[in-house]
Amino acid sequence: MVLCLTVILFLTLHLLPGMKSSKVNLINNGYEGIVIAINPSVPEDEKLIQNIKEMVNEASTYLFHATKRRVYFRNVSILIPMTWKSKSEYLMPKQESYDQADVIVANPYLKYGDDPYTLQYGRCGEKGQYIHFTPNFLLTNNLPIYGSRGRVFVHEWAHLRWGIFDENNGDQPFYISRRNTIEATRCSTHITGTNVVFKKCQGGSCITRPCRRDSQTGLYEAECTFIPEKSQTAKEFVTEFCTEKTHNTEAPNLQNKMCNGKSTWDVIMNSADFQNTSPMTEMNPPTRPTFSLLRSKQRVVCLVLDKSGSMSSEDRLFRMNQAAELFLIQIIEKGSLVGMVTFDSVAEIRNHLTKITDDNVYKNITANLPQEADGGTSICRGLKAGFQAIIQSNQSTSGSEIILLTDGEDNEIHLCIEEVKQSGVIIHTIALGPSAAKELETLSDITGGHRFYANKDINGLTNAFSRISSRSGSITQQTVQLESKALAITGKKWVNGTVPVDSTIGNDTFFVVTWTIKKPEVLLQDPKGKKYKTSDFKEDKLNIGSARLRIPGIAETGTWTYSLLNNHASSQMLTVTVTTRARSPTTPPVTAAAHMSQYTAHYPSPVIVYAQVSQGFLPVLGISVIAFIETEDGHQVTLELWDNGAGADTVKNDGIYSRYFTDYRGNGRYSLKVLAQARNNTARLSLRQPHNKALYVPGYIENGKIILNPPRPEVKDDLAKAEIEDFSRVTSGGSFTVSGAPPPGNHPSVLPPNKIIDLEAKFKEDHIQLSWTAPGNVLDKGKANSYIIRISKSFLHLQEDFDNATLVNTSSVKPKEAGSVENFEFKPEPFRIENGTNFYIAVQAINEANLTSEVSNIAQAIKFIPVPEDSVPALGTKISAISLAIFGLAMILSIF
């Protein structure tokens, strides 16, 4: 077997530590700390654990040889859900969790397909999010369809760890090469087989005919399928990565698009893993992987809350109590154990761990929220008291969570760092105000916790607490935030709003109103006209300026409307927060998750805002996604995020909405909130298979006979995008820290327009029509000043010497706003045009500061004169691979 894993070059400056808190380390050639987590909804099956172990054992050997004896898998943890029975060999997890796992084992939503894939939406060479295997893939014999599980794991590991992209392209499986031959979109050319169209299939046999050329495009007809020979002449049982010599730079695939045509081996060797890793002398991995079986534990959370003197300013204590109460009543899952510690220069355990069972338990804890602020700030004493609150309740700190909220400076955090590491606890940090200890985020970074920053209004705190939900993978139990709005309302004025409640949610629904001076008048109406009044919103006995209404049973589906009247003569800040949970334990709700590409940014390097909107594993398309980024001085930047496959967005219509952020306004902490909304019935689910997935092989040829594999379920075009109802979701994306930025003000542009990555070209009579997504003046913001378009008959000439290719007159092109579709038509003079003439075109954008973008992807335009179909010759049968190679992965079927 030849394994041409074609990998990638770094395009950005950092490795996206903000994406995920993976604990994988490469130590002395061996990967350690890999976590494979089983979803709680997966039925208990001992065979699943055994097959995972066999897959990893096999993959370790393949990985060792594919990387020329450089790396292998040394140890792996398998995280077993609480829904499985406890066994003596199962250990307690530390910071391992389903949500932070490198590999997840979960059923596909709507039972659609068992193709393994990697969720990956960063830049070239950046780590992915996770690998997804279904239980069915791991438990059934898929050898004829995908190849061995070990090889599939190596394939997905390359996506996850090294940022590889597929080298096949389902949307464009063929292209015409610079030699004017029809080629499959692929890397390897080692595999032989037959191109056929299936006319009729019954049982395991089919009537076929050779493929024909499409009379309009000159490419193969859409129904053409490649069937490989079972016996190949390629080097069997050998794995190697595609190098610069074997890489196919002109194939129209994501690998070339995202990585500027670089080979996989080039990118691997440029990755952090391989900078200081030399080949081993052994011919095989020195050891087999070792496995730890961990079983998820009951959720344990301890609030560690600052009550020092500085918390009395700007109503911070007041707002902290409002948000903590919301967390205890609305966010924390039933059955969890919760404790509370307060601290100033000393710490006090206010509540040992208590199991959340009913409203009386909430009240017992909230009654102990601090009412006075006084004293200094000792974060280490607060954390140590948190450890004691957990241990004294006969629980282990390993895998437990601490929510640490503080506004004060503390220069002694370093004194307890080692104790924090040894504890195994997960610490989520909330920095309240601009003076919170600068080392605070170190605690969340080393323990895999979330990090948040909240400024003056209560919303920042409620958004942070709302994000800190269970990491078990049981998303139907987690809170979904529908509304988070802060409203500065003048005296005696009304304000109105609406909140859509869709059919995936409605359990445990709360409407919460807070105020700063006087309780407002509240009117709420459900979609059927039922009204709730101010008296229905209950205040607690803490006098913390909040009132809540819990909707009985399941909230009505449709649009809820609310009205607030500021009863006070003066202006005051009112907030509205709405939370709910999934309607059914078997139907996942629509969810939104957001994060920055980096936890730290240094001016002027850009960071990327990401928001993933999905139902289960299915992307949600056609919605509005807005990011709100707030600085320490309260300045807010609003960004519309796009899923258009341009600029910061890697793949169009994958449910990942992205945008560059460059509007730095001084140094310090920045917070991120995202609002995802579907209005006017525009939202739809994408049921198409994800990118960056394992290859499905439809069958093979043995002794001249086609033997078919079981069919993969395909979605018909009319079902590929299922409509869903209007909805609204709010989520916090945590915080990030900026350094090296100038103070607020107008500053000259130091960044060029973003690279155009979706340039397309086609002939219309004797003219070439181009289309692309407009870049901005600064990356994907604003609009460019002009374009440079160059054309050549040589792909290599344009790729290697763009500046000396023929210039196209673009004086008539006036760049549009970033994100708009640009169209341009020109006659390719002075070239001679005839049937089969092949042109290559690329574009650069220039901004007002005369900074130039990278050269775009290279588009191809072929002059093809249609001929009558009868005169189009059929294809030969013995050919190279059609779409059998993914990022250079050539599967030799004789090993199946």
Side-chain angles (χ1 to χ4, degrees), residues 217-235:
T217 65
L219 297 172
Y220 301 154
E221 58 190 310
E223 296 80 11
C224 188
T225 302
F226 174 74
I227 306 295
E229 297 279 355
K230 185 174 184 180
S231 178
Q232 298 287 330
T233 59
K235 294 180 292 182

Side-chain angles (χ1 to χ4, degrees), residues 64-76:
F64 184 76
H65 292 299
T67 58
K68 300 180 177 17
R69 307 197 310 275
R70 281 177 169 82
V71 295
Y72 64 98
F73 297 126
R74 183 178 290 127
N75 66 58
V76 175

Side-chain angles (χ1 to χ4, degrees), residues 39 418 778 808 894:
N39 189 277
E418 196 55 40
V778 177
V808 175
S894 56

Side-chain angles (χ1 to χ4, degrees), residues 521-538:
E521 178 115 6
V522 185
L523 298 176
L524 177 67
Q525 181 171 300
D526 77 9
K528 290 190 174 179
K530 182 177 180 179
K531 296 181 179 179
Y532 300 89
K533 305 186 299 294
T534 307
S535 57
D536 296 315
F537 284 73
K538 305 301 181 185

Side-chain angles (χ1 to χ4, degrees), residues 480-484 500-505 580 588-593 613-614 624 626 673-678 726-731:
V480 177
Q481 192 173 0
L482 307 185
E483 180 76 292
S484 172
V501 174
D502 59 273
S503 61
T504 69
I505 54 171
T580 187
V590 174
T591 58
V613 187
S614 60
S624 166
I626 307 296
K673 179 180 82 170
V674 165
L675 171 63
Q677 289 184 308
D726 288 354
F727 66 85
S728 179
R729 299 291 186 268
V730 177
T731 185

